Amino acid sequence: MTQEYGLFIDGKWVVPEGAKRFETVSPIDRSPVGSFVAGTAKDARAAIDAAERAFPKWKETPAPKRGDLLLRAAEILKARKSELGRIVTLEMGKVIGEGLGDVQESIDFVEYMAGEGRRLAGETVPSELRSKFCLTVRQPKGVVVCITPWNFPTAIPNWKIAAGLICGDTIVFKPASNTARCAAEVVRAYEAAGVPPGVLNFVTGSGSALGPTLLTDKRVRAISFTGGVDTGREVYEEGAKGLKMVHLELGGKNPMIVMEDADLPLALDGVLFAAFGTSGQRCTATSRLIVHEKVYDQFLGMLVDRLKKFPVGDPLDPKTGMGPVASADQEKKILEYIEIGKKEATLRVGGKKLTGGAYDRGFFIEPTIFETKHGTRISKEEIFGPVLSVLKAKDYSEAVRIANDVDYGLSSSIYTRDVNRAFHAIDDLEAGITYVNAPTIGAEVQLPFGGVKSTGNGGREAGSAAIEEFTEIKTVFVDFSAKLQKAQIEAADP
Ligand code: UN1
């Protein structure tokens, strides 16, 4: 029987009276993975009520003690890593090595944030007046709503939850519906670690049922959202009406530039991993390969050869290079883009839904490569699937111009052996992340993660930057002169 989950509100798993349910299915073979409550506005309100009630006590809990909770959660995630990695693979289809990597990224971040409990640093600066002390301290924001996508179904929830908890916020967590099982297992880890009632609440269901309450309730002080740009814009607009802080991590159209002096076999391994890992469904996936004309034919030939032997199939088999795409919706959208590509560009590899045998049960698409001119839809729009556009550039300047001429700016990469050029690229590429001689995916949790232009609205998560997202800064002046001193008006005695 499919495992049934409730909502997690005020420290208890609850199934509201008369609740409707929905199921998640594996993209490998459409088998059911879990059954969940289709939450309503009333449930969203109950979660916010619980988070609001729990806030004063959680705020008072010393941050290092909040860190102890995170360390316990990290231990539980570690102990359950292989089981959870398998659930990730079953529920959204990334290959098992990456499923385990998703859980490892969760563990890394939760441990990292536990240490933040002994930092949460402010600043101390001099005053213009005598006997006056100036500093800043960090305070929690209050109730924070975290809305997460399906492509990193344990890591991204943990990026948000662990950061919010260490800062002293209380959380209402709403995951993407098609990876609700992974999300519920993350919540169970915090439950087993002893998260106090109301500090972390979990609601499942559609964005249309839950969103209006989660985004507009006066008590919600901040919203952290990772997902597509259209939904991100709506979240931003709704949040803005209530003057809430809205943190957005949205799409990407990430370029990898291969210069004429690049180590081509290294670049080849890089592009295969970054374009087709997670079936291309990472915000950081390489979706544009920009190759210097001098090595263009050679490199494209190498890529086409390797892709002919690229093993697509059961993601639970460690020999598989690429599993299915995550859902029927994903499959439909990607196949539509492939049709667009066939009209405006040259198909070099792939381009079809895989059929026959076990493929018929799931959502498998061939790894696909188009040769295209810059400016086509497939070269500019985010596809979020195993579809790579290959573009030719006559020199470095043209490569950078193409790289930058898209709406997004999350990750970017350049392969070159010329150190000067590598540093120019760090300056020139319009992106939140630049890799040199490494592909566009694989960010580590102790560094900020985020992008420019339509990828977001200026914030960063992960690393110590995550603290900015989940705290308010309080500026403190302590005047111990025992007299009224007037800043700007009275200079201190010389
Ligand atoms: C995402 O695709 O939304 O850098 C996150 C990477 C991963 C995180 C990706 N560590 O590819």
Side-chain angles (χ1 to χ4, degrees):
M1 214 190 76
T2 314
Q3 198 155 339
E4 292 195 348
Y5 293 81
L7 309 174
F8 188 68
I9 295 177
D10 213 6
K12 284 186 286 293
W13 289 94
V14 292
V15 178
E17 229 180 84
K20 293 204 173 56
R21 290 199 155 266
F22 68 95
E23 278 194 347
T24 63
V25 297
S26 174
I28 305 171
D29 58 6
R30 295 180 169 87
S31 57
V33 178
S35 161
F36 302 89
V37 171
T40 61
K42 194 168 159 224
D43 303 325
R45 257 192 317 277
I48 297 168
D49 289 346
E52 193 200 21
R53 278 197 305 273
F55 177 63
K57 205 154 159 228
W58 187 238
K59 179 185 173 196
E60 268 175 24
T61 306
K65 291 274 169 279
R66 301 196 293 250
D68 290 344
L69 169 80
L70 297 196
L71 281 182
R72 290 195 297 275
E75 287 308 316
I76 291 159
L77 292 169
K78 262 186 219 167
R80 297 186 61 200
K81 180 177 167 184
S82 48
E83 176 206 352
L84 295 180
R86 208 184 136 81
I87 296 174
V88 170
T89 294
L90 269 179
E91 194 165 42
M92 66 69 67
K94 62 173 83 174
V95 293
I96 186 67
E98 294 183 20
L100 294 166
D102 198 304
V103 181
Q104 188 58 47
E105 192 159 346
S106 300
I107 296 165
D108 294 344
F109 187 68
V110 178
E111 281 184 343
Y112 174 78
M113 274 293 131
E116 246 345 294
R118 291 193 182 267
R119 284 187 293 270
L120 286 182
E123 55 180 339
T124 312
V125 293
S127 166
E128 64 185 56
L129 297 164
R130 289 226 175 98
S131 301
K132 193 176 171 198
F133 199 74
C134 308
L135 70 151
T136 65
V137 292
R138 291 194 177 270
Q139 297 194 317
K141 283 188 178 294
V143 178
V144 176
V145 164
C146 300
I147 305 175
T148 60
W150 46 261
N151 68 332
F152 276 81
T154 74
I156 294 180
N158 277 302
W159 285 10
K160 297 186 192 301
I161 292 169
L165 292 183
I166 201 67
C167 292
D169 297 321
T170 53
I171 293 175
V172 178
F173 166 36
K174 187 242 175 275
S177 290
N178 55 324
T179 49
R181 170 90 187 264
C182 292
E185 296 300 337
V186 168
V187 172
R188 285 183 59 200
Y190 286 93
E191 180 192 19
V195 70
V199 169
L200 172 63
N201 305 278
F202 172 66
V203 288
T204 47
S206 69
S208 52
L210 299 169
T213 306
L214 296 180
L215 304 180
T216 61
D217 190 297
K218 272 203 164 61
R219 296 165 297 171
V220 172
R221 290 313 316 146
I223 301 159
S224 180
F225 172 85
T226 301
V229 71
D230 294 337
T231 316
R233 190 171 282 119
E234 282 173 35
V235 170
Y236 202 12
E237 282 169 4
E238 282 310 308
K241 287 183 202 154
L243 300 179
K244 300 184 196 313
M245 207 288 298
V246 180
H247 176 98
L248 301 171
E249 290 294 343
L250 309 175
K253 190 71 186 171
N254 311 292
M256 176 190 289
I257 297 175
V258 177
M259 294 304 297
E260 78 278 24
D261 63 343
D263 178 336
L264 295 185
L266 182 71
L268 182 63
D269 286 340
V271 70
L272 286 167
F273 178 48
F276 303 112
T278 324
S279 304
Q281 302 165 120
R282 293 196 194 203
C283 310
T284 50
T286 297
S287 49
R288 295 180 298 146
L289 175 67
I290 304 168
V291 188
H292 192 285
E293 62 182 11
K294 280 199 189 134
V295 291
Y296 182 86
D297 290 337
Q298 184 189 356
F299 193 62
L300 186 60
M302 289 163 69
L303 182 58
V304 169
D305 269 2
R306 274 281 286 280
L307 266 187
K308 283 184 187 147
K309 302 187 278 282
F310 203 70
V312 182
D314 178 4
L316 289 165
D317 178 346
K319 288 193 289 298
T320 299
M322 191 177 99
V325 299
S327 62
D329 287 350
Q330 269 295 102
E331 183 183 80
K332 181 165 173 283
K333 190 184 112 194
I334 296 163
L335 290 173
E336 279 166 14
Y337 265 111
I338 290 176
E339 287 314 306
I340 293 169
K342 284 179 184 165
K343 292 199 189 89
E344 60 181 9
T346 310
L347 178 68
R348 286 300 305 263
V349 183
K352 289 194 295 294
K353 175 173 166 55
L354 283 157
T355 52
Y359 287 140
D360 286 338
R361 292 198 288 275
F363 310 118
F364 293 88
I365 295 180
E366 290 178 320
T368 297
I369 294 188
F370 285 102
E371 272 187 273
T372 180
K373 289 215 168 7
H374 175 61
T376 53
R377 284 187 63 190
I378 56 162
S379 73
K380 296 196 79 165
E381 295 174 21
E382 184 178 51
I383 300 174
F384 222 63
V387 181
L388 177 69
S389 290
V390 186
L391 302 116
K392 192 189 283 184
K394 68 176 189 311
D395 55 18
Y396 170 80
S397 307
E398 189 180 44
V400 168
R401 188 181 59 73
I402 293 171
N404 288 343
D405 185 31
V406 289
D407 289 341
Y408 298 105
L410 180 53
S411 189
S412 57
S413 143
I414 183 163
Y415 281 75
T416 178
R417 290 178 163 116
D418 178 340
V419 68
N420 291 357
R421 199 146 58 185
F423 273 86
H424 276 296
I426 294 169
D427 266 354
D428 295 340
L429 288 169
E430 292 171 2
I433 305 170
T434 295
Y435 289 88
V436 176
N437 294 328
T440 56
I441 67 174
E444 299 179 32
V445 300
Q446 67 278 25
L447 290 132
F449 181 94
V452 301
K453 302 197 277 190
S454 299
T455 293
N457 56 349
R460 293 290 181 272
E461 59 187 344
S464 53
I467 300 300
E468 306 292 332
E469 187 185 346
F470 288 97
T471 53
E472 296 287 352
I473 287 180
K474 171 167 285 187
T475 304
V476 184
F477 299 100
V478 181
D479 190 323
F480 51 100
S481 69
K483 59 184 184 206
L484 174 64
Q485 303 194 87
K486 297 178 180 164
Q488 295 94 37
I489 293 170
E490 253 168 43
D493 296 337

